[in-house]
Amino acid sequence: MSLAVLTFADDPIFYLAANLAKIVVFTHIVLILSALSVLAERKVSAWMQDRLGPNRVGPGGILQPAADALKFFFKEDIVPGHVDKVLYILAPAIALMPALIVLAVIPYGPPLTVLGETIPMVIADLDIGILFVFAISSLGVYGIVLAGWASNSKYPMLGGVRASAQMISYEVMLGLSVVGIFMSTESLRLTDVITSQVDGTWFMFSQPIAFIIFVIAAFAETNRLPFDLPEAETELVAGYHTEYSSMKFAMFFIGEYTAMFVFSALVAVLFLGGWDIPFMSNADFEALGNWGTLLGFLSFFVKCLAFLFFYIWVRWTIPRFRFDQLMNLGWKVLMPIALVNVVLTGVVLGWLGS
Amino acid sequence: MSTDARVMDVEISEDRHSEAMMINMGPQHPSTHGVLRLVLELDGEEVVRAQPVIGYLHRGKEKIGETLSWHQFIPYTDRLDYLAPLANNVAYAVAVEKLMGIDAPPRAQAIRVICAELARISAHLLGLGAYAMDLGAMTVFLWTFREREAIYTLVERICGARFTTSYTRIGGVERDLPDDFFTKCAQFVKEFPGRVDEYEGLLTTNKIWIERTQDIGIITKEQALQFALTGPNLRGSGIDYDCRKAHPYIGYEQYDFDVPVGSVGDCFDRYLVRVAEMRESARILEQVLDTIPDGPYLNRDGDEELKSVLPDKTKVLTNMESLIHQFMVATESINAPTGEVYFGAENPKGELGFFLRSKGELHADRLRIRAPSFCALQVIEEVLPGHLIADVMAILGSIDFVMGECDR
């Protein structure tokens, strides 16, 4: 990897072009997938509920996201008179940005070779990978809290208060659950986490407790059922985005689905081996060259989509937690288990090492 | 009373915390089904005081009943508990028959049982679905609509309408059941218990569902009696009272069914009672379909004096007396003897009672409706304080009220 960086430094134009291309391509792939996952949500729920789901726009309703987006643009953008205007307008942007920024550090596939240059399939392969993810994604809570506060209205405020407590608590579980992984890989860099899984076992199997806690925390972090308390429709009308309309509302919406994709990608990277395909080693991927990259790329997205499906499946199956039950589950159940998991991992690693 | 006057009635308690927040839940809120308005005083997320404000759907049905003829009021009963119009029709018809001293023929009685039990299943399905949806389990709601669709199709076969049925007549029902109804209904009754198993699979053993409903919104036996709860809400609190058993009407004594009773009186018990009642209703339906007698569907015997029932159509076209009779009933309505009666029927939401006072005129002198939802809604003021906002939804959902009936 370091070699590739050196080559890039020798040719700044190539470096710039390659990175720009990666930014444009990956961001668009993810945004389009987010839009399609809204459609998938409606289709899968319809399938689970003996309905047809959207089927009017385009073949099988495939153009529904485009129609929705168009509709959002044509809706009147209402700014109620009683809101704090600056924060009210800023909040949807803050809610959407962290999810998009995190996309920068996710490795989408094995390195690609173009014109003899090796390009890693990650926009920025940071040494502090996962820490960057947590640092940025926790900013997402500001969007929600500020939306709730700036709306200057009762239901949004309750939603905002719930969101702040919920997301901050589950941030802790999220961080603690992955400590075990980094103890065994001895690196925070996400590409290293993947390469160690390609040759070894997926962390889903070697760190099952961490996997379960991470998945639960991921649901809570993205405000999805059973943890969708900040926007609990039947309780708080629409929670923090009650007062929003038009594209401002759409930005919360896109933000939510992008965050879902980000967490699906993180689950794939941390626990499902990233671009790994069972029975293939790092050497196999290198031997296949760019075909290996394509295979890895596909494998990664299949895993992401599978987890997105899981997200949707859970949402349409189980009821919602109550606020105090959510906090109890987080602090009194998941937190001790996560800590025990860290200790256990340490003991096992120490025992294996000695 | 104007709405504004009611708003003024809502007092803010004296000893409120400095952070108490008043919140208006409804009349337009996703989970105050219909137009219930709750004024909640919150301390954080905890409800300190709750006051239901009703009347947004008031249409003055009782007063209307004093000017309309006995038959003309039947369509108005459709809109009481609009989730079970057939059961309302039956309750009203039986009350008027009691006043007039007419009996419906056995076949009409059996048809009425079919109507009442189909309505009960349909209303409980919606109650269960909305209850689950309020707690976030959306799929149950749409699954129950699958069965409700089947029931509506059956109702359409019964009377031509799906929603506003107006099916009963004084002395019987409007028309006989079509021949293909019995096989279709039997098919539904056969499949239905399996469908209930599906809902139960999603809820009864679901850890989250149990945590959200168990020991939430406990209505004690004493409270249930004090607030005159009836129906599943009363039985959920552990009191074994069912009008169908207590004073059997339309031939309920012939059928073998159990009355499910809860123990604690929490939201979970009320849920279990409703689910069990649906299964019992299916059992009753099965028996009625097997034993339904032949014969007339409208009582026309001994009706020479009262002239309360429409005559047979073939007679109307061949017989002068019957033609006049038909004309009288259709244009001038029917006379009832002087007197007053009360009749309470076991409707899906509880005991739907009609008090009728007649001065021997073509219409009621006083028509009073005892609405089970009205009584049930009083208890929430007592039960809600001390619960969290999220529990408000569980409690409202488990009480399963319908505002059309409450506001009348």
Side-chain angles (χ1 to χ4, degrees):
Chain A
M1 222 58 70
S2 53
L3 267 175
V5 174
L6 275 178
T7 350
F8 278 154
D10 296 340
D11 192 348
I13 295 169
F14 184 81
Y15 173 80
L16 203 66
N19 266 336
L20 268 179
K22 281 193 288 190
I23 291 171
V24 170
V25 170
F26 291 142
T27 316
H28 279 81
I29 289 179
V30 172
L31 280 179
I32 289 168
L33 272 179
S34 313
L36 284 177
S37 64
V38 179
L39 175 69
E41 172 110 57
R42 296 174 62 180
K43 274 289 184 190
V44 171
S45 65
W47 173 58
M48 290 176 66
Q49 296 164 349
D50 281 1
R51 297 185 285 120
L52 287 173
N55 65 350
R56 297 284 123 177
V57 195
I62 194 85
L63 293 178
Q64 188 67 43
D68 287 346
L70 208 63
K71 196 182 87 172
F72 274 127
F73 273 112
F74 283 111
K75 285 281 172 188
E76 185 187 354
D77 190 4
I78 302 163
V79 180
H82 54 74
V83 301
D84 180 335
K85 281 218 172 55
V86 177
L87 294 179
Y88 178 84
I89 293 168
L90 203 60
I94 299 179
L96 177 59
M97 286 319 288
L100 288 176
I101 295 174
V102 169
L103 294 178
V105 293
I106 292 171
Y108 299 89
L112 186 72
T113 315
V114 178
L115 304 171
E117 306 274 7
T118 311
I119 308 172
M121 292 300 274
V122 43
I123 297 169
D125 194 12
L126 298 181
D127 288 339
I128 54 162
I130 194 68
L131 292 184
F132 178 81
V133 170
F134 289 154
I136 298 296
S137 72
S138 33
L139 291 178
V141 72
Y142 280 102
I144 292 174
V145 172
L146 287 179
W149 180 255
S151 293
N152 192 15
S153 171
K154 288 168 182 173
Y155 285 112
M157 200 189 86
L158 281 173
V161 170
R162 281 182 176 191
S164 54
Q166 171 180 335
M167 294 176 80
I168 290 168
S169 316
Y170 277 80
E171 198 81 30
V172 177
M173 321 311 155
L174 209 58
L176 272 180
S177 67
V178 293
V179 168
I181 290 178
F182 300 108
M183 285 164 79
S184 36
T185 55
E186 294 172 358
S187 165
L188 291 172
R189 191 195 288 269
L190 292 175
T191 38
D192 291 350
V193 176
I194 293 177
T195 44
S196 80
Q197 289 180 87
V198 175
D199 283 338
T201 49
W202 292 1
F203 283 118
M204 184 179 135
F205 302 114
S206 55
Q207 289 277 350
I209 301 170
F211 177 62
I212 291 165
I213 293 173
F214 189 89
V215 167
I216 295 174
F219 276 88
E221 278 291 294
T222 46
N223 296 327
R224 291 282 295 185
L225 238 137
F227 304 110
D228 68 336
L229 300 163
E231 50 184 303
E233 183 194 320
T234 49
E235 292 164 26
L236 303 182
V237 189
Y240 58 88
H241 55 58
T242 308
E243 303 280 352
Y244 283 87
S245 57
S246 186
M247 273 316 283
K248 292 201 190 72
F249 168 75
M251 278 167 87
F252 282 117
F253 210 64
I254 302 167
E256 181 187 325
Y257 280 87
T258 312
M260 271 167 70
F261 179 84
V262 166
F263 275 94
S264 304
L266 283 178
V267 168
V269 167
L270 295 172
F271 294 97
L272 306 177
W275 65 68
D276 185 26
I277 297 170
F279 310 113
M280 278 183 73
S281 66
N282 283 318
D284 293 335
F285 275 108
E286 268 171 45
L288 281 170
N290 282 354
W291 289 110
T293 307
L294 186 66
L295 269 181
F297 196 69
L298 288 178
S299 154
F300 174 79
F301 276 98
V302 164
K303 285 168 192 170
C304 287
L305 294 182
F307 197 77
L308 276 174
F309 175 78
F310 182 65
Y311 255 123
I312 296 169
W313 183 14
V314 168
R315 169 166 178 188
W316 298 101
T317 307
I318 53 179
R320 177 184 300 127
F321 273 105
R322 204 174 61 201
F323 188 63
D324 57 326
Q325 292 165 348
L326 171 95
M327 292 313 240
N328 279 349
L329 178 73
W331 291 104
K332 293 186 185 164
V333 181
L334 296 184
M335 175 99 160
I337 297 179
L339 284 172
V340 167
N341 185 48
V342 171
V343 175
L344 267 181
T345 311
V347 169
V348 171
L349 282 178
W351 181 60
L352 286 178
S354 63
Chain B
M1 196 187 304
S2 79
T3 329
D4 290 323
R6 293 306 303 267
V7 177
M8 305 296 272
D9 285 350
V10 177
E11 308 156 23
I12 299 170
S13 66
E14 295 294 318
D15 60 339
R16 61 179 180 153
H17 303 260
S18 56
E19 290 161 39
M21 178 162 82
M22 300 295 290
I23 196 165
N24 253 321
M25 194 169 270
Q28 289 136 329
H29 183 278
S31 55
T32 58
H33 302 284
V35 283
L36 171 67
R37 173 168 161 232
L38 277 177
V39 181
L40 300 176
E41 191 180 325
L42 299 179
D43 177 16
E45 288 227 3
E46 194 183 312
V47 178
V48 184
R49 265 162 51 88
Q51 183 153 6
V53 181
I54 61 168
Y56 288 90
L57 202 57
H58 179 61
R59 291 150 296 172
K61 280 191 184 300
E62 292 178 355
K63 193 69 190 167
I64 291 171
E66 292 172 17
T67 54
L68 292 180
S69 70
W70 300 104
H71 261 134
Q72 280 174 332
F73 192 69
I74 292 175
Y76 286 79
T77 62
D78 290 343
R79 283 104 173 145
L80 282 173
D81 174 0
Y82 43 74
L83 304 172
L86 278 172
N88 304 339
N89 296 160
V90 171
Y92 175 73
V94 176
V96 179
E97 282 161 17
K98 198 172 164 189
L99 175 71
M100 298 191 174
I102 311 173
D103 276 327
R107 185 172 176 85
Q109 305 270 31
I111 294 175
R112 284 176 177 185
V113 173
I114 294 179
C115 292
E117 296 310 316
L118 278 181
R120 189 180 323 280
I121 294 178
S122 164
H124 280 357
L125 280 176
L126 187 106
L128 170 67
Y131 181 13
M133 186 172 69
D134 287 353
L135 297 190
M138 187 88 164
T139 298
V140 180
F141 179 73
L142 285 142
W143 282 6
T144 62
F145 266 63
R146 188 179 54 193
E147 271 64 69
R148 272 170 60 79
E149 175 64 29
I151 291 176
Y152 275 137
T153 312
L154 287 174
V155 172
E156 203 180 335
R157 292 300 300 146
I158 294 178
C159 64
R162 288 161 69 85
F163 205 73
T164 48
T165 51
S166 306
Y167 179 56
T168 55
R169 293 292 178 269
I170 294 150
V173 294
E174 186 238 338
R175 65 178 92 164
D176 206 353
L177 293 177
D179 293 334
D180 62 344
F181 174 82
F182 296 97
T183 47
K184 282 181 178 163
C185 190
Q187 179 73 15
F188 172 77
V189 170
K190 204 177 127 208
E191 284 172 6
F192 185 66
R195 305 293 196 180
V196 180
D197 292 341
E198 283 179 15
Y199 314 140
E200 285 215 78
L202 275 183
L203 297 176
T204 307
T205 50
N206 186 322
K207 189 83 167 62
I208 301 178
W209 178 259
I210 293 172
E211 279 197 16
R212 286 300 305 274
T213 55
Q214 211 158 44
D215 295 327
I216 301 296
I218 296 179
I219 302 175
T220 60
K221 277 187 185 180
E222 290 72 31
Q223 277 176 328
L225 290 174
Q226 278 165 6
F227 285 89
L229 295 191
T230 45
N233 295 330
L234 177 73
R235 293 190 284 275
S237 293
I239 295 172
D240 186 2
Y241 177 81
D242 186 320
C243 295
R244 293 174 294 176
K245 290 276 190 198
H247 56 88
Y249 56 102
I250 56 173
Y252 269 117
E253 67 278 3
Q254 307 162 30
Y255 308 113
D256 172 35
F257 64 99
D258 297 323
V259 177
V261 175
S263 50
V264 191
D266 57 5
C267 293
F268 191 58
D269 270 356
R270 289 191 283 278
Y271 155 76
L272 288 179
V273 165
R274 285 209 177 78
V275 170
E277 262 181 33
M278 286 196 278
R279 293 185 192 277
E280 292 302 323
S281 288
R283 254 179 82 194
I284 297 176
L285 277 175
E286 206 176 348
Q287 296 170 46
V288 185
L289 291 174
D290 284 345
T291 60
I292 186 165
D294 286 331
Y297 58 91
L298 196 56
N299 184 357
R300 297 197 173 98
D301 302 334
D303 195 37
E304 302 306 313
E305 279 180 33
L306 271 177
K307 301 233 183 297
S308 60
V309 176
L310 282 172
D312 191 31
K313 194 74 182 173
T314 49
K315 275 193 188 167
V316 173
L317 296 176
T318 53
N319 184 324
M320 176 57 104
E321 283 295 312
S322 296
L323 182 62
I324 295 170
H325 181 172
Q326 151 100 17
F327 186 71
M328 296 277 288
V329 173
T331 59
E332 194 180 54
S333 173
I334 50 177
N335 272 315
T338 311
E340 49 182 53
V341 294
Y342 172 82
F343 172 73
E346 185 67 30
N347 257 38
K349 311 284 180 207
E351 179 176 338
L352 176 70
F354 284 95
F355 169 78
L356 306 170
R357 190 170 67 211
S358 164
K359 287 189 173 170
E361 288 170 314
L362 301 169
H363 52 79
D365 183 52
R366 173 83 173 99
L367 189 152
R368 152 96 187 134
I369 302 164
R370 185 218 180 269
S373 297
F374 180 76
C375 299
L377 270 179
Q378 300 177 69
V379 81
I380 60 178
E381 201 170 339
E382 191 89 349
V383 172
L384 285 187
H387 286 96
L388 297 176
I389 282 200
D391 295 330
V392 174
M393 275 73 231
I395 294 168
L396 288 184
S398 75
I399 284 179
D400 187 23
F401 55 88
V402 54
M403 293 311 286
E405 181 182 71
C406 173
D407 290 347
R408 302 196 284 286

